[in-house]
């Protein structure tokens, strides 16, 4: 009887902590502006969902985005349609078509972060299961990039960025324990096995820059290449890792500092804005109860011991109660200067990324069967 009561108590506490009854407004920045876009368009992603990240090639074509069935598709603006561009594995039987892609993504691949190499035109791909890949300018089947003999195998490759000056690739491995198909477990358990990593294609060397991170996610290089920003989703903060020893002002021996913390939701990807600063997608906004859950990690760890499929619970919750948003952070101080969120009847259940290009915001979500296109 006591065990049953414990199960019920923990389940209700966790579910209430996940439910955003009163999403809090961001409190950064005196000049914070909530942007509204009367001119917007939702673009369906045929056959699959989850356009999580966007990238344009160096001709300005695109965007390209990865989908839940392992495909990378390219947007043809003149034709107003997506076309298949690449896949992250040649094993494609049973991958496409209407089914629950999350159950097959470990076989079919799940492309997340994307970036083009300026010198070659190759597209580099962070696939949650297949690792770091690349495909040529004409697309096709992507190939493995990293050497097979890693001291610790990648388990959840998530995001990447490329230094255009050197070709060096920076990427995140969100967990050494949990895979993407159980990412809620990584969040609930308080897992801190994630890494920020570096791959030099010239020397073929892989280096771990930061370890013991709590769900490292998006990563972006600064405009002049002197530092990286890496999102730590589980702690709702962004770290700045200094690449240039002469530029660092932090006192940490590990060469990093907090760039932004206390974000109003769980951050996902981060992209530079051509108007300055960085766009950060927030999977969902906080409430006082989500903050309670974050400060009581035992709750999540205890819940993981229950006979409950928390991925399915979260999926159902997100469908009906999700409340995604995005914030633009200032480049110098990391405070919120601009907020993007949907209004009634046009609310995003989650937002993974905002890519600003030519006066348009491309909005992606890991949960939706469409991308958003908003004119500024």
């Amino acid at each position: 009887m006591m065990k049953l009561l414990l199960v019920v108590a923990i389940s209700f506490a966790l579910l209430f902590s996940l439910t955003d009854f009163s999403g809090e407004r961001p409190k950064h920045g005196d000049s914070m502006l909530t942007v509204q876009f009367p001119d917007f368009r939702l673009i369906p992603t045929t056959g699959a969902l989850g356009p999580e990240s966007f990238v344009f090639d160096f001709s300005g074509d695109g965007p390209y985005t990865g989908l839940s069935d392992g495909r990378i598709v390219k947007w043809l603006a003149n034709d107003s349609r997506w076309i298949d561009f690449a896949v992250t594995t040649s094993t494609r039987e049973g991958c496409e078509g209407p089914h629950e892609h999350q159950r097959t993504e470990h076989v079919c691949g799940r492309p997340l972060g994307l970036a083009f190499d300026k010198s070659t035109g190759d597209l580099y791909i962070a696939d949650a299961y297949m690792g770091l890949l690349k495909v040529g300018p004409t697309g096709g089947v992507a190939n493995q990039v990293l050497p097979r003999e890693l001291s610790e195998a990648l388990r959840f490759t998530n995001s990447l960025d490329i230094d255009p000056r050197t070709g060096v690739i920076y990427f995140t491995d969100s967990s050494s324990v949990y895979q993407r198909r159980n990412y809620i477990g990584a969040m609930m358990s308080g897992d801190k096995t994630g890494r920020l990593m570096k791959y030099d294609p010239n020397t073929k060397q892989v280096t771990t820059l930061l370890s013991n991170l709590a769900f490292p996610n998006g990563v972006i290089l600064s405009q002049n290449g002197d530092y990286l920003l890496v999102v730590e989703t589980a702690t709702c903060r962004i770290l700045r890792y200094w690449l240039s020893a002469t530029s660092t002002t932090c006192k940490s021996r590990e060469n990093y500092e907090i760039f932004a913390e206390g974000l109003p939701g769980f951050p996902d990807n981060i992209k530079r804005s051509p108007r300055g600063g960085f766009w950060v997608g927030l999977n969902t906004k906080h409430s006082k109860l989500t903050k309670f859950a974050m400060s009581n990690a035992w709750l999540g760890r205890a819940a993981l011991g229950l006979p409950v499929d928390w991925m399915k619970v979260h999926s159902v919750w997100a469908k009906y109660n999700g409340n995604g948003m995005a914030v633009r952070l200032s480049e110098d101080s990391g405070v919120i200067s601009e907020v993007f969120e949907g209004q009634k009847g046009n609310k995003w259940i989650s937002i993974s990324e905002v890519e600003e290009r030519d006066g348009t915001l491309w909005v992606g979500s890991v949960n939706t069967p469409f991308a958003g296109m908003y004119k500024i």
Side-chain angles (χ1 to χ4, degrees):
M1 185 67 179
M2 288 298 295
K3 185 175 181 181
L4 178 60
L5 289 174
L6 180 63
V7 168
V8 172
I10 291 176
S11 299
F12 271 100
L14 190 68
L15 284 172
F16 279 123
S17 73
L18 287 173
T19 305
D20 191 1
F21 291 110
S22 57
E24 295 186 351
R25 294 288 301 152
K27 298 177 181 178
H28 290 237
D30 295 333
S31 61
M32 184 183 70
L33 172 68
T34 299
V35 289
Q36 299 182 18
F37 300 94
D39 184 8
F40 74 93
R41 178 183 180 189
L42 299 181
I43 303 173
T45 51
T46 307
L49 53 80
E52 204 223 29
S53 183
F54 302 102
V55 68
F56 290 82
D57 61 31
F58 289 101
S59 298
D61 293 335
Y64 301 70
T65 190
L67 300 177
S68 59
D69 61 2
R71 287 180 297 140
I72 296 164
V73 295
K74 175 184 178 181
W75 176 248
L76 298 181
N78 291 337
D79 297 337
S80 293
R81 65 187 178 95
W82 299 99
I83 60 169
D84 291 348
F85 178 74
V87 291
T88 56
T89 174
S90 58
T91 306
R92 299 295 300 164
E93 185 176 354
C95 292
E96 298 179 27
H99 67 279
E100 194 173 351
H101 291 148
Q102 189 170 291
R103 298 196 178 279
T104 57
E105 63 182 23
H106 63 294
V107 175
C108 304
R110 183 51 169 108
L112 299 174
L114 304 171
F116 276 99
D117 183 337
K118 186 175 183 179
S119 63
T120 64
D122 292 338
L123 176 64
Y124 280 80
I125 306 153
D127 186 287
Y129 301 91
M130 308 304 163
L132 189 61
L133 312 170
K134 74 173 179 179
V135 67
T138 58
V141 179
N143 298 310
Q144 290 280 345
V145 170
L146 298 184
R148 298 284 183 179
E149 303 80 17
L150 290 177
S151 57
E152 188 174 352
L154 301 178
R155 191 157 180 82
F156 188 167
T157 321
N158 197 322
S159 182
L160 80 160
D161 198 12
I162 301 176
D163 190 332
R165 304 162 187 82
T166 64
V168 168
I169 301 159
Y170 299 97
F171 64 100
T172 53
D173 183 29
S174 293
S175 174
S176 299
V177 177
Y178 294 91
Q179 290 188 302
R180 202 202 86 90
R181 53 184 169 158
N182 191 22
Y183 67 87
I184 292 300
M187 296 286 290
M188 291 170 62
S189 68
D191 177 72
K192 292 184 178 180
T193 62
R195 297 174 289 172
L196 170 65
M197 305 182 74
K198 164 187 171 181
Y199 172 67
D200 188 334
N202 299 309
T203 64
K204 311 299 182 186
Q205 185 175 1
V206 181
T207 307
T208 297
L209 301 178
L210 288 177
S211 57
N212 302 317
L213 297 178
F215 208 116
N217 204 324
V219 62
I220 194 74
L221 189 68
S222 66
Q223 189 67 43
N224 60 7
D226 59 345
Y227 64 84
L228 294 167
L229 294 180
V230 57
V231 169
E232 207 177 26
T233 298
T235 58
C236 300
R237 67 181 185 175
I238 297 172
L239 303 177
R240 171 158 46 194
Y241 181 88
W242 291 99
L243 297 170
S244 171
T246 58
S247 299
T248 182
T249 58
C250 66
K251 297 179 181 179
S252 170
R253 287 181 295 177
E254 296 191 58
N255 222 33
Y256 73 92
E257 62 189 354
I258 296 173
F259 177 74
E261 60 183 338
L263 293 172
F266 293 101
D268 198 328
N269 291 337
I270 182 168
K271 286 294 188 76
R272 285 191 301 272
S273 166
R275 293 178 291 136
F278 305 91
W279 278 109
V280 180
L282 302 179
N283 190 273
T284 193
K285 292 196 293 186
H286 278 316
S287 69
K288 292 179 180 178
L289 290 170
T290 59
K291 291 183 177 181
F292 171 79
M294 289 176 63
S295 61
N296 292 272
W298 63 270
L299 190 65
R301 289 193 292 269
L304 284 175
L306 302 177
V308 176
D309 185 344
W310 292 110
M311 286 293 292
K312 187 168 286 292
V313 169
H314 179 264
S315 177
V316 172
W317 167 83
K319 184 176 180 179
Y320 295 103
N321 296 289
N323 199 358
M325 65 185 298
V327 294
R328 186 162 65 98
L329 304 181
S330 64
E331 192 157 358
D332 51 352
S333 58
V335 301
I336 295 173
S337 59
E338 195 171 5
V339 175
F340 169 87
E341 57 183 333
Q343 305 301 314
K344 287 184 178 180
N346 182 32
K347 187 176 287 188
W348 285 80
I349 62 174
S350 70
I351 290 181
S352 301
E353 179 173 297
V354 170
E355 170 76 21
E356 184 176 342
R357 176 93 176 190
D358 298 330
T360 298
L361 298 184
W362 286 84
V363 181
S365 170
V366 73
N367 300 114
T368 63
F370 53 78
M373 184 180 176
Y374 294 77
K375 292 291 185 182
I376 298 178

